[in-house]
């Protein structure tokens, strides 16, 4: 019997088309790599960005920024150190100073406007 992971590896489809990326370089020379496309399901999830009624505006804004980052970030080279795992990427984004987070959000917003205008950023 073949496991799900093995079956998925052998399939060609929309996920294979999502392999293209774009690089964004900050003033310090660090490189953020973003996926050019995401699945229709991801687009739907990002469009609704549901949050709890008790969440503050700041909480919703921060969570929506993190959701975009989680879905589009494919890699980040900081001071020559490559990061590629989703946990590593999100952890580094959360630990970044305000200026770095602002730069990431701006690069991400520009990228999403060009590649997924249906998200309305």
């Amino acid at each position: 019997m073949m496991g799900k992971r093995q079956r998925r590896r052998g399939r060609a489809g929309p996920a294979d088309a999502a392999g293209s990326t774009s690089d964004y370089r900050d003033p310090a020379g660090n490189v953020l790599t973003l996926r050019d496309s995401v699945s229709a399901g991801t687009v739907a999830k990002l469009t609704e960005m549901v949050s709890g009624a008790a969440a503050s505006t700041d909480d919703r804004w921060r969570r929506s920024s993190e959701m975009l980052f989680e879905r589009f970030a494919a890699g980040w080279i900081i001071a020559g150190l490559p990061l590629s795992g989703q946990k590593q990427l999100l952890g580094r984004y959360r630990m970044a100073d305000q200026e770095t987070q602002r730069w990431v959000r701006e690069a991400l917003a520009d990228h999403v406007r060009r590649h997924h205008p249906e998200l309305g950023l």
Side-chain angles (χ1 to χ4, degrees), residues 2-117:
M2 188 182 299
K4 285 184 181 181
R5 288 179 78 183
Q6 291 173 328
R7 282 193 303 253
R8 266 185 276 174
R9 285 186 197 141
R11 257 192 295 168
D16 293 335
S20 65
T21 59
S22 298
D23 290 342
Y24 294 84
R25 188 174 301 275
D26 72 9
N30 302 314
V31 179
L32 177 64
T33 302
L34 300 175
R35 291 176 183 82
D36 289 338
S37 63
V38 292
S39 71
T42 296
V43 170
K45 188 170 190 170
L46 290 170
T47 301
E48 49 184 71
M49 291 195 193
V50 177
S51 63
S56 69
T57 302
D58 184 59
D59 290 339
R60 285 190 300 272
W61 174 80
R62 185 171 307 282
R63 183 62 192 138
S64 66
S65 296
E66 287 183 1
M67 283 179 67
L68 281 171
F69 183 81
E70 284 177 302
R71 297 327 191 267
F72 282 92
W76 199 359
I77 299 173
I78 301 170
L81 175 65
L83 303 171
S84 59
Q86 288 302 309
K87 285 183 180 181
Q88 282 183 323
L89 290 166
L90 186 58
R92 181 57 180 96
Y93 174 72
R94 287 176 174 164
M95 291 186 333
D97 60 38
Q98 287 183 347
E99 186 174 325
T100 301
Q101 286 186 359
R102 182 185 48 75
W103 176 81
V104 168
R105 285 191 308 270
E106 289 172 359
L108 191 52
D110 178 56
H111 182 79
V112 170
R113 277 192 294 272
R114 284 189 289 124
H115 294 279
H116 281 282

